[in-house]
């Protein structure tokens, strides 16, 4: 083989990998987080390090391509972030208003010094299909419908079956009350376990509020939880209002003592729950909480059962909640359905939803109706709270 042929063979071998490289694409569709009256965070993932942004448009009947839409970037301290997980926080929105949106990611091939080389762009489709739409929450809304699932432990088929019993057009929000996977070791487990199915069914356009369970605290990826859920928020415990309901989302942490061998000395949940209780004191005194006709507390572990985490919930959270006019507490964790009526230790009803039941609720200014459906859609129990 002569030198010219060797040269062309060398060029071919060195350029083939470039042609074989996978193009940038959205690997997991966008979903809504922490939707409020004036804000929402949109999260999505791609397969290449990239910059990301959201284009926003009013849902006013005009074509998305009618004009250039404002862009909001995944950025921090004035610098666009290069990442495969994009989170864009949209602010300055109007209450009870529908918006259309489109997400973009542009690959960053190289960033050396002041020189940045960009590659191709991936985006959600607004030409071949309708743009994605969300509606901001509204404290003045007279009625809110919500649903809750928990403890599916990566069984996305169970999630699909339970959600099938919801009228998505009449549902305002979903609650994921913990243990949606069994362990947090990778991004793949999140999406294969439940989030890909959730975005396929509703989560790109209906808000989902996540309460961390004890199984989401386990695994090498557990510290990345907030990259995907409640990103940019101060805590993963929080409060939000929709219509006549104020929801208080608590994080009950792990169920065994921090010194248990299973945690390998890496957890400090006793301290964490103590700090959370200080936050809870302030929240329960807030105007937003006190003015809501209904107060609903969401916590993965119930305040009973005798395990360490459950005792901590009972000792650190319940005394505060007992004096805060709570209407109902929604829990999971036990993998069986039960309802505890108010009593001396806990002065409000506690509903423990099972791992194969769906909780559906409708709240008006003077009435909160909660139904429990089994996986076939049959009603198992019903609670009505009147004001």
């Amino acid at each position: 083989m002569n030198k010219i042929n060797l040269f062309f063979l060398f060029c071919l071998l060195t350029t083939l990998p470039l042609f074989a490289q996978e193009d940038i694409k959205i690997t997991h569709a966008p979903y809504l987080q922490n939707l409020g009256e004036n804000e929402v965070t949109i999260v999505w993932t791609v397969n290449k390090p990239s910059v990301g942004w959201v284009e926003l448009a009013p849902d006013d009947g005009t074509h998305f391509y009618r004009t250039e839409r404002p862009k909001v970037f995944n950025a921090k301290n004035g610098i666009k972030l290069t990442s495969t997980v994009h989170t864009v926080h949209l602010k300055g929105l109007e209450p009870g208003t529908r918006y259309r949106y489109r997400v973009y990611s542009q690959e960053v091939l190289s960033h050396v010094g002041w020189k940045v080389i960009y590659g191709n762009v991936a985006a959600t489709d607004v030409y071949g299909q309708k743009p994605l739409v969300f509606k901001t929450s509204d404290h003045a809304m007279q009625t809110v419908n919500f649903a809750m699932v928990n403890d599916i432990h990566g069984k996305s088929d169970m999630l699909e079956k339970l959600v099938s019993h919801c009228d998505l057009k009449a549902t305002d929000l979903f609650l994921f009350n913990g243990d949606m996977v069994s362990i947090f070791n990778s991004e793949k487990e999140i999406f294969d376990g439940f989030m890909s199915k959730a975005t396929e069914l509703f989560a790109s356009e209906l808000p989902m509020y996540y309460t961390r369970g004890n199984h989401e605290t386990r695994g090498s990826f557990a510290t990345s939880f907030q990259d995907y859920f409640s990103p940019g928020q101060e805590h993963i415990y929080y409060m939000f209002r929709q219509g006549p309901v104020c929801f208080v989302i608590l994080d009950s942490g792990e169920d065994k003592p921090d010194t248990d061998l299973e945690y390998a000395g890496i957890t400090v949940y006793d301290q964490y729950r103590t700090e959370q209780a200080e936050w809870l004191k302030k929240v329960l005194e807030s105007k937003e909480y006190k003015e809501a006709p209904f107060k609903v507390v969401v916590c993965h572990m119930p305040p009973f059962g005798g395990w360490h985490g459950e005792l901590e919930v009972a000792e650190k959270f319940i005394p505060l909640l007992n004096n805060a006019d709570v209407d109902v507490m929604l829990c999971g964790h036990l993998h069986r359905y039960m309802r505890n009526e108010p009593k001396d230790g806990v002065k409000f009803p506690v509903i423990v939803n099972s791992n194969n039941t769906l909780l559906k609720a409708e709240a008006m200014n003077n009435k909160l109706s909660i139904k429990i459906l089994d996986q076939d859609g049959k009603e198992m129990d019903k609670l009505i709270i009147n004001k």
Side-chain angles (χ1 to χ4, degrees):
M1 187 177 291
N2 60 39
K3 291 182 178 179
I4 295 177
N5 288 338
L6 283 172
F7 174 76
F8 281 111
L9 179 61
F10 173 78
C11 291
L12 180 64
L13 292 174
T14 54
T15 55
L16 273 176
L18 296 176
F19 290 106
Q21 281 184 355
E22 187 179 24
D23 202 0
I24 186 171
K25 64 181 180 181
I26 295 173
T27 50
H28 300 296
Y31 55 94
L32 308 175
Q33 285 288 280
N34 304 108
L35 181 137
E37 282 196 312
N38 310 113
E39 62 183 341
V40 67
T41 298
I42 298 175
V43 185
W44 73 99
T45 71
V46 293
N47 63 332
K48 302 281 187 178
S50 52
V51 295
W53 66 94
V54 172
E55 286 187 353
L56 189 68
D59 191 22
D60 57 4
T62 62
H63 199 283
F64 202 89
Y65 286 134
R66 180 178 183 270
T67 185
E68 183 177 356
R69 304 300 183 178
K71 299 176 176 64
V72 183
F73 287 88
N74 177 25
K76 186 175 182 179
N77 299 324
I79 301 174
K80 298 175 187 176
L81 299 179
T82 300
S83 179
T84 58
V85 182
H86 292 293
T87 62
V88 173
H89 188 190
L90 305 176
K91 304 177 184 177
L93 308 179
E94 294 296 322
T97 303
R98 288 170 57 89
Y99 293 90
R100 296 172 292 169
Y101 74 97
R102 187 183 195 188
V103 305
Y104 291 80
S105 293
Q106 184 170 26
E107 184 177 0
V108 175
L109 298 171
S110 173
H111 185 173
V112 179
W114 51 267
K115 188 175 182 181
V116 182
I117 300 175
Y118 294 100
N120 291 333
V121 175
T124 49
D125 187 11
V126 297
Y127 180 74
Q129 61 189 47
K130 291 183 178 179
L132 296 170
V133 176
F134 67 85
K135 183 180 179 181
T136 52
S137 59
D138 185 358
H139 296 183
M141 193 163 65
Q142 297 298 303
T143 304
V144 62
N145 288 274
F146 63 92
M148 186 180 88
V149 296
N150 49 271
D151 295 279
I152 65 166
H153 288 273
K155 297 177 181 177
S156 61
D157 56 336
M158 176 60 71
L159 176 63
E160 183 171 23
K161 194 168 189 178
L162 294 173
V163 171
S164 71
H165 303 306
C166 296
D167 178 357
L168 294 179
K169 291 182 179 180
T171 303
D172 298 297
L173 64 97
F174 278 85
L175 301 170
F176 281 179
N177 197 354
D179 286 5
M180 300 298 288
V181 293
S182 293
I183 195 165
F184 251 51
N185 274 328
S186 69
E187 179 185 278
K188 186 176 186 296
E189 285 168 329
I190 298 173
F191 289 96
D192 287 357
F194 66 99
M195 271 313 301
S196 289
K197 182 58 65 176
T199 52
E200 175 191 326
L201 296 174
F202 66 84
S204 293
E205 299 192 316
L206 288 178
M208 176 273 293
Y209 300 87
Y210 203 145
T211 309
R212 188 173 67 163
N214 57 300
H215 279 271
E216 283 94 348
T217 69
R218 302 174 187 178
S220 57
F221 207 63
T223 53
S224 299
F225 179 89
Q226 202 170 5
D227 293 342
Y228 300 85
F229 306 108
S230 296
Q233 300 296 310
E234 186 176 2
H235 307 293
I236 57 174
Y237 48 87
Y238 52 96
M239 181 182 74
F240 71 95
R241 170 93 182 261
Q242 174 62 300
V245 182
C246 184
F247 296 87
V248 178
I249 308 297
L250 297 177
D251 183 359
S252 52
E254 265 292 4
D255 55 4
K256 293 178 278 294
D258 289 328
T259 54
D260 191 89
L261 287 174
E262 188 171 335
Y263 308 143
I266 204 168
T267 62
V268 285
Y269 284 109
D270 286 3
Q271 176 185 322
Y272 175 70
R273 284 182 290 252
T274 298
E275 293 169 353
Q276 190 175 167
E278 291 302 312
W279 167 87
L280 183 59
K281 287 179 186 176
K282 297 176 183 177
V283 161
L284 298 179
E285 292 297 322
S286 68
K287 181 179 179 182
E288 184 176 359
Y289 176 84
K290 288 190 170 184
E291 289 187 350
F294 286 96
K295 288 91 169 168
V296 174
V297 176
V298 186
C299 183
H300 178 68
M301 287 192 289
F304 47 79
W307 287 46
H308 179 75
E310 296 160 344
L311 293 172
E312 284 264 298
V313 170
E315 292 170 6
K316 294 180 177 178
F317 300 157
I318 295 302
L320 302 174
L321 297 171
N322 276 341
N323 295 315
D325 298 320
V326 171
D327 291 291
V328 66
M329 186 177 196
L330 307 179
C331 301
H333 187 61
L334 300 182
H335 291 212
R336 65 182 185 274
Y337 176 72
M338 61 187 301
R339 170 154 62 100
N340 275 16
E341 298 299 333
K343 49 189 173 183
D344 290 340
V346 182
K347 297 180 179 179
F348 43 83
V350 177
I351 292 177
V352 179
N353 194 46
S354 185
N355 59 329
N356 57 6
T357 56
L358 172 74
L359 184 150
K360 292 179 65 176
E362 180 182 59
M364 296 176 283
N365 282 322
N366 58 358
K367 182 179 179 181
L368 173 60
S369 300
I370 299 174
K371 295 180 180 180
I372 305 297
L373 307 182
D374 67 14
Q375 58 186 305
D376 297 318
K378 182 181 177 181
E379 185 176 313
M380 296 173 53
D381 196 11
K382 185 174 183 178
L383 173 65
I384 297 177
I385 302 172
N386 292 303
K387 289 288 187 179

